[in-house]
Amino acid sequence: MEELNAEKIKKLKRGEAVGTTATIVCCVILAAFIVCFAIAQTKDIYMLRMISIILLPILLLLAIGVSAYCNLKFGRELNAIIKNHVKTVLIENAQLMHPDRNVLSFGITVKEKDAEIKVGNFKESIKFDFSAFGKLSPMKKSAVAEAIAERLNITFCRMRDRGVHYNSVSYFRVNDNLKNGKVIYIIENGQPDKRAYKTYLKSN
């Protein structure tokens, strides 16, 4: 099984954390602008008005720039690592997806440091080790679930286009309370879902 580069991920997470901090700073500056400008107008305080309309907007633009840069550079790269890991693990465990079955339903479970998918009533599961990320944040858990769903869409729409017949292929998220979420179809009654097929076409 592929091992993730923990050191690289730590560096990327630090960069992403800077972006998150900058986003929080943006909110603080915006709130400060609203309060300071209101007080300056009400009390007619010239210096506070100048700070509100000159200094705070400059600081806000700087914080927005830092936030955008970090989220695009580091956040995007972390999500790319997640997607690539999901793809690699599914390729390595292709047989455990039981692609020879006509009807398939995948349960996706994402925990604090790993994830897994189970196919129907089969005992085996496909496991994804994300311990290199430390404890997955809610956003990263969502990114993992989305990456798995995306790869399932691509895989089964591609196989259908190559002539493999499926009556039904679907997936659902197993929530923290172990209850199943909404069933989302990739293929239903032999026909691919429009969104799933669009995802597949974009990957080509």
Side-chain angles (χ1 to χ4, degrees):
M1 181 182 289
E2 179 192 42
E3 289 189 11
L4 296 173
N5 188 328
E7 286 304 313
K8 180 180 180 180
I9 289 171
K10 281 181 183 178
K11 290 179 182 178
L12 292 172
K13 284 183 70 178
R14 283 196 290 268
E16 188 182 46
V18 171
T20 301
T21 302
T23 301
I24 295 170
V25 170
C26 287
C27 296
V28 172
I29 293 173
L30 185 59
F33 169 79
I34 293 170
V35 172
C36 291
F37 187 74
I39 293 173
Q41 290 296 91
T42 303
K43 303 291 186 180
D44 195 26
I45 304 173
Y46 176 78
M47 184 58 68
L48 190 57
R49 185 182 294 115
M50 290 299 99
I51 290 173
S52 300
I53 63 176
I54 297 175
L55 180 60
L56 290 180
I58 291 173
L59 293 176
L60 180 61
L61 286 174
L62 287 172
I64 290 172
V66 172
S67 175
Y69 173 80
C70 290
N71 287 327
L72 283 173
K73 179 176 176 57
F74 303 111
R76 183 179 289 176
E77 192 165 348
L78 283 167
N79 287 341
I81 289 172
I82 289 172
K83 286 186 176 184
N84 187 63
H85 183 60
V86 166
K87 179 181 179 180
T88 301
V89 171
L90 288 180
I91 290 172
E92 289 176 348
N93 296 275
Q95 290 304 312
L96 292 181
M97 295 170 72
H98 298 280
D100 55 313
R101 297 280 174 157
N102 185 258
V103 176
L104 292 165
S105 181
F106 296 89
I108 302 171
T109 304
V110 182
K111 301 176 184 177
E112 291 187 349
K113 292 188 176 183
D114 55 42
E116 70 172 3
I117 58 174
K118 288 195 72 175
V119 188
N121 296 320
F122 291 101
K123 291 182 179 179
E124 318 101 314
S125 64
I126 301 174
K127 298 184 182 296
F128 307 85
D129 181 9
F130 289 102
S131 56
F133 280 80
K135 183 178 178 180
L136 291 171
S137 67
M139 285 185 65
K140 284 293 174 278
K141 283 184 177 181
S142 179
V144 169
E146 287 175 9
I148 294 172
E150 180 182 277
R151 186 47 49 185
L152 290 174
N153 285 327
I154 293 168
T155 299
F156 287 98
C157 284
R158 176 177 290 129
M159 292 184 72
R160 181 191 174 276
D161 268 9
R162 290 177 177 176
V164 181
H165 175 72
Y166 292 103
N167 186 54
S168 172
V169 181
S170 62
Y171 63 87
F172 56 88
R173 179 88 179 265
V174 179
N175 301 315
D176 292 337
N177 57 10
L178 299 180
K179 290 185 177 180
N180 296 343
K182 180 183 177 183
V183 175
I184 299 174
Y185 283 92
I186 299 171
I187 297 172
E188 188 174 13
N189 297 323
Q191 298 300 316
D193 175 78
K194 289 182 180 178
R195 289 184 181 179
Y197 199 70
K198 188 176 181 180
T199 299
Y200 158 64
L201 291 177
K202 281 183 178 180
S203 71
N204 292 333

